[in-house]
Amino acid sequence: MFKSTDGGATWALKNNGIELAEPFAWRLARDPRGALYLVVARRSEDGSFGNPGDGALYRSTDGAEHWERLPLPEGLNGPNGLAIDPRNPSRLYLAAWGRQAAKEAREGGIFLSTDGGRKWRNVLSPDQHIYDVTIDPRDPKLLYAAGFESSA
């Protein structure tokens, strides 16, 4: 993760707290209070999880000076996107790309956290391959998801 404080003339590496050796920074989101969320994409497609190829989710509350790793749902290692409810920044929607299991993909879909990313529950599992999720700016109860199979 790099940060510029002079309009992009210079950049400084800001990976303090990011545990992965070669993080694949995928998405960055900012909540209304100023907290930053970093989605790190996974680097493996072999179906395994719990290894250095896993994706991750981080949060910074000090302008990217320090990052805290947030837990992903059990077995999930392919986070892709993050939407933050503008009226309730503790309400997060995580888009996930399922990992390949023996017969089908697993642990993908859209996950909801109502406590700022501490705990998650799956709220859309029929499509295991979700690229991204976003919240309608006029109605935060309305979500849009981009999926690979048959998202609803």
Side-chain angles (χ1 to χ4, degrees):
M1 177 58 64
F2 288 88
K3 177 180 178 178
S4 176
T5 57
D6 57 11
T10 60
W11 293 88
L13 182 65
K14 298 294 181 178
N15 281 2
N16 188 5
I18 297 176
E19 302 163 2
L20 305 170
E22 295 180 7
F24 187 8
W26 188 249
R27 296 263 200 282
L28 189 63
R30 185 171 181 254
D31 79 14
R33 298 176 293 206
L36 296 170
Y37 289 84
L38 172 65
V39 176
V40 175
R42 83 170 164 225
R43 290 188 170 271
S44 67
E45 290 298 329
D46 63 5
S48 67
F49 68 99
N51 58 57
D54 286 356
L57 179 64
Y58 290 91
R59 177 177 49 222
S60 174
T61 57
D62 61 4
E65 294 301 318
H66 303 90
W67 294 95
E68 167 194 16
R69 189 169 183 167
L70 297 175
L72 292 176
E74 181 66 32
L76 189 150
N77 72 350
N80 270 348
L82 185 73
I84 304 164
D85 188 325
R87 295 183 189 163
N88 179 0
S90 294
R91 191 174 181 86
L92 309 174
Y93 296 91
L94 182 67
W97 194 265
R99 59 184 173 79
Q100 192 57 45
K103 296 181 182 180
E104 59 188 20
R106 298 177 42 137
E107 311 310 331
I110 297 176
F111 292 81
L112 169 65
S113 174
T114 57
D115 62 2
R118 300 286 175 210
K119 292 181 262 177
W120 299 92
R121 67 181 171 94
N122 194 311
V123 294
L124 179 75
S125 61
D127 191 333
Q128 288 290 301
H129 299 100
I130 302 293
Y131 288 117
D132 208 357
V133 61
T134 191
I135 298 173
D136 188 306
R138 294 171 305 247
D139 181 2
K141 295 178 185 175
L142 184 59
L143 301 176
Y144 298 95
F148 183 70
E149 285 130 356
S150 59
S151 294

